[in-house]
Amino acid sequence: MTVESVERPETETGGCGGCGGHATSPGGETPETPRERVNRRWNEIMQETRVAQTGVQILFGFLLSVAFTPLFHDLGTFDHAVYVITVVSGAAATASLIAPVSIHRFLSGQRMKDEMVEVAHRLMMGGMALLAVTIGCTLFLILHVVLPGLTAKLLVGAVMLWFALSWYALPLWLRRRSAHRAARRNPS
């Protein structure tokens, strides 16, 4: 395990590279060692993966069954294209969100946990983006059938905006706010 790859994200961002906020311990506790930090980060990624995997697997299972319903064959070419995009993005999301488990199985005991954490972090971020696309396309497919016209598009747009704000903009804003606070406390 290399210390530089574990510590670099924290020195640059004021927190762990994956979630941005554990560099200092609250309440004056002893700071983490690099090994403790990478172990904690790995455990956090595994917990987050379990949550995301459950959601994507349930959604993907639902999507696979849709093609075998009588109504599916009555849908137009556009709806079939949206369905294909939805299923492919769902499969890609499933692969990305399950990949950290496979990586761990192949590399366990190889003293590569810092590299595994970085790769798993990137796979999780990509998987979450693909999951958002899958959810958006699923919602569009359903609403396009139920509410033809502009209403479906507006509702899907509003939901996808909410995803972008809550999944990406909010965490980035919180990270930036935390970095500004740290800079004010420790001016260089």
Side-chain angles (χ1 to χ4, degrees), residues 116-137:
M116 290 175 10
V117 166
E118 184 59 35
V119 169
H121 165 71
R122 293 179 190 280
L123 285 164
M124 288 288 297
M125 293 300 290
M128 295 300 290
L130 288 165
L131 179 56
V133 169
T134 304
I135 292 170
C137 287

Side-chain angles (χ1 to χ4, degrees), residues 1 20-21 34-35 44 68 78 80 89 120 139 141 151 156 163 165 177 181 187:
M1 175 168 57
R35 184 170 189 82
E44 288 173 351
F68 300 102
F78 177 77
H80 283 155
S89 64
L139 187 61
L141 190 59
T151 306
V156 171
F163 268 83
L165 291 172
R177 190 174 86 171
R181 281 188 191 154

Side-chain angles (χ1 to χ4, degrees), residues 45-174:
I45 285 174
M46 287 296 100
Q47 290 300 322
E48 293 162 359
T49 298
R50 285 181 187 98
V51 172
Q53 281 176 353
T54 302
V56 75
Q57 288 170 342
I58 291 168
L59 179 58
F60 191 59
F62 161 75
L63 289 171
L64 293 177
S65 68
V66 167
F68 300 102
T69 62
L71 179 63
F72 182 78
H73 299 290
D74 295 337
L75 297 176
T77 305
F78 177 77
D79 291 320
H80 283 155
V82 171
Y83 175 76
V84 168
I85 293 167
T86 306
V87 169
V88 169
S89 64
T94 301
S96 293
L97 294 171
I98 294 176
V101 175
S102 177
I103 289 169
H104 183 260
R105 279 296 95 219
F106 276 96
L107 301 178
S108 181
Q110 301 297 311
R111 298 189 182 271
M112 297 178 63
K113 196 172 280 183
D114 54 342
E115 290 93 349
M116 290 175 10
V117 166
E118 184 59 35
V119 169
H121 165 71
R122 293 179 190 280
L123 285 164
M124 288 288 297
M125 293 300 290
M128 295 300 290
L130 288 165
L131 179 56
V133 169
T134 304
I135 292 170
C137 287
T138 303
L139 187 61
F140 180 73
L141 190 59
I142 292 168
L143 292 180
H144 187 254
V145 170
V146 176
L147 302 168
L150 186 60
T151 306
K153 293 173 185 163
L154 290 173
L155 285 172
V156 171
V159 169
M160 294 314 296
L161 177 61
W162 178 246
F163 268 83
L165 291 172
S166 61
W167 282 16
Y168 298 102
L170 178 61
L172 291 172
W173 176 75
L174 289 170

